[in-house]
Amino acid sequence: MQSRKLFYVVCALIVLFSLGALCQQPHPAVSQTEAAKAPSEKFIVYYFMTTMRCPSCHKIENWTHSTVTEKFAEEIKAGKIEWKIVNIDEKANEHFIKEYSIFTKTVIVSKIVDGKEVSWKNLDKVWQLLSNQDNFQKYIESELKAFMTEKK
């Protein structure tokens, strides 16, 4: 009886050690194919806003968002374009005010290469085009396309 108990304990220990060894196997490295899929160049479309917002501010956000998501859906899906809303009233985002010379709500496009920003542009005509949604959205689309094809 004693030897049978010992046998079961030894078997249980072998199973536990085997499972432990399996859990400690290193995760497979990212293949070169997977690494090649990750874009080394991407673009971020920022809408910078404050806590207090008027109807025009909401319009800028909504029209820009719909233009980017509708006209650049493939680029978003591929990770080439990101859409971000940033509240510059928040302490963690105050640095953007100096970096982009922000003085009001605005849309900024940023080019990121290998994780570092290499250029950016303020789409400052958004306020002038608020009276016409079609012109506004054409402006966002054409500016983003032009910015994405610039060689810098």
Side-chain angles (χ1 to χ4, degrees), residues 9-138:
V9 170
V10 170
C11 286
L13 287 173
I14 291 172
V15 169
L16 287 174
F17 283 119
S18 297
L19 288 174
L22 284 174
C23 291
Q24 294 195 11
Q25 293 291 325
H27 294 288
V30 175
S31 70
Q32 288 181 352
T33 310
E34 290 173 9
K37 286 181 187 176
S40 64
E41 175 183 272
K42 72 176 181 178
F43 299 86
I44 301 174
V45 180
Y46 290 105
Y47 171 59
F48 288 101
M49 54 87 144
T50 58
T51 304
M52 296 292 295
R53 301 194 306 162
C54 64
S56 295
C57 299
H58 288 286
K59 210 184 264 192
I60 292 170
E61 176 186 340
N62 293 333
W63 289 357
T64 303
H65 178 258
S66 65
T67 303
V68 172
T69 56
E70 291 169 16
K71 300 294 184 179
F72 300 93
E74 289 300 313
E75 291 87 345
I76 291 171
K77 187 177 177 181
K80 189 166 173 108
I81 292 180
E82 289 181 27
W83 163 253
K84 293 186 179 184
I85 300 170
V86 179
N87 184 343
I88 56 176
D89 282 345
E90 294 176 4
K91 193 85 172 145
N93 298 326
E94 287 179 353
H95 65 96
F96 288 114
I97 296 169
K98 266 189 177 175
E99 290 171 21
Y100 296 131
S101 303
I102 297 172
F103 62 91
T104 189
K105 287 88 172 176
T106 194
V107 176
I108 290 182
V109 293
S110 171
K111 181 178 183 178
I112 310 294
V113 177
D114 296 326
K116 294 182 183 172
E117 183 177 65
V118 295
S119 63
W120 60 273
K121 182 176 185 179
N122 187 346
L123 305 187
D124 54 3
K125 290 185 183 168
V126 292
W127 286 96
Q128 297 165 16
L129 297 170
L130 277 177
S131 62
N132 186 308
Q133 183 176 358
D134 189 51
N135 288 343
F136 180 100
Q137 290 183 306
K138 284 179 182 173

